[in-house]
Amino acid sequence: MARKPATLSMREAAALPLAVITAWEGLVDRAGVRAGQKVLVHGGAGGVGSVAVQVAAARGAEVFATASAARTPLVRRLGAVPIDYTSVPVERYVAEHTGGAGFDIVFDTVGGSVLDASFEAVRTYTGHVVSALGWGTHALAPLSFRAATYSGIFTLLPMLTGRGREHHGEILRGAAALVHEGKLRPLLDGTRCTLADVADAHRSVESGTADGKVVVDVEP
């Protein structure tokens, strides 16, 4: 547990824990993100992706993020160099932004073919791919040929096993400090939902049309 940052509303605070724990476990705990690295976040306008961009930037990394053309201005405001994944192939943005060397860390929040693309975008030898949605069947050859590494994230593990719960509190307190410093703010979708609109909220998330986290207001 951790105290709610005083500068966040209750709706903003409700949107932060799952996203920031996922981003923190991937970038900080698994990949050890640090200043001077180039980090690519897939899905930079999403709930987890938007937080990952800010966490990486707060730790001094140079951040790039994929998004649709309509969402590139939002990604830029979050502190990342936007990449329009609908029109720019992997080979091109790797060449343009890393000189062909690849990104030090690739954070996948989308899964599927995007995880495959992550294996092709990571730096040889020292690169690290992290995914919150590594649930499919994937060819590891592109990753192996780069002698790079991969980590999966399963944020619910401490809740299911009881191991590591204290660390979730540590992460939330670290995130609260970033909020206080003005380096982190959750991105909320503009649609307001109540319990009566839960089905619509799920459809918004599933369709990929939501910008950031969809918050459901539970009213007495």
Side-chain angles (χ1 to χ4, degrees):
M1 298 180 69
R3 292 183 180 273
K4 179 185 81 69
T7 56
L8 295 185
S9 68
M10 293 301 291
R11 296 185 80 248
E12 289 174 317
L16 192 58
L18 182 60
V20 79
I21 288 172
T22 303
W24 197 287
E25 285 191 350
L27 290 170
V28 181
D29 294 344
R30 304 291 182 272
V33 63
R34 61 185 183 275
Q37 290 184 314
K38 289 190 174 184
V39 175
L40 173 64
V41 177
H42 284 300
V48 174
S50 61
V51 171
V53 166
Q54 295 175 80
V55 169
R59 295 181 73 87
E62 183 181 3
V63 188
F64 304 80
T66 60
S68 63
R71 293 178 173 178
T72 53
L74 170 59
V75 167
R76 194 179 297 280
R77 288 198 300 273
L78 290 171
V81 176
I83 299 171
D84 179 3
Y85 72 89
T86 65
S87 63
V88 183
V90 176
E91 298 83 0
R92 185 168 139 199
Y93 64 68
V94 168
E96 180 180 349
H97 298 298
T98 73
F103 296 90
D104 297 293
I105 300 172
V106 182
F107 191 98
D108 164 43
T109 71
V110 182
S113 61
V114 175
L115 179 53
D116 295 318
S118 300
F119 294 157
E120 298 177 7
V122 71
R123 180 181 291 273
T124 301
Y125 291 124
T126 58
H128 197 120
V129 175
V130 185
S131 179
L133 291 169
W135 303 336
T137 301
H138 302 272
L140 295 179
L143 184 72
S144 298
F145 291 157
R146 287 167 175 78
T149 54
Y150 168 82
S151 293
I153 310 165
F154 186 37
T155 305
L156 294 179
L157 201 58
M159 302 178 192
L160 296 174
T161 66
R163 295 173 57 190
R165 289 186 181 184
E166 297 85 355
H167 184 50
H168 278 188
E170 294 170 355
I171 292 173
L172 292 177
R173 288 188 287 275
L178 293 183
V179 171
H180 179 71
E181 295 168 7
K183 297 179 179 179
L184 174 64
R185 198 163 193 94
L187 177 64
L188 269 61
D189 185 75
T191 305
R192 295 190 71 98
C193 301
T194 66
L195 284 177
D197 308 311
V198 164
D200 292 333
H202 276 287
R203 279 190 286 269
S204 177
V205 173
E206 290 171 358
S207 67
T209 58
D211 286 329
K213 299 290 287 186
V214 175
V215 177
V216 177
D217 293 323
V218 181
E219 301 175 353

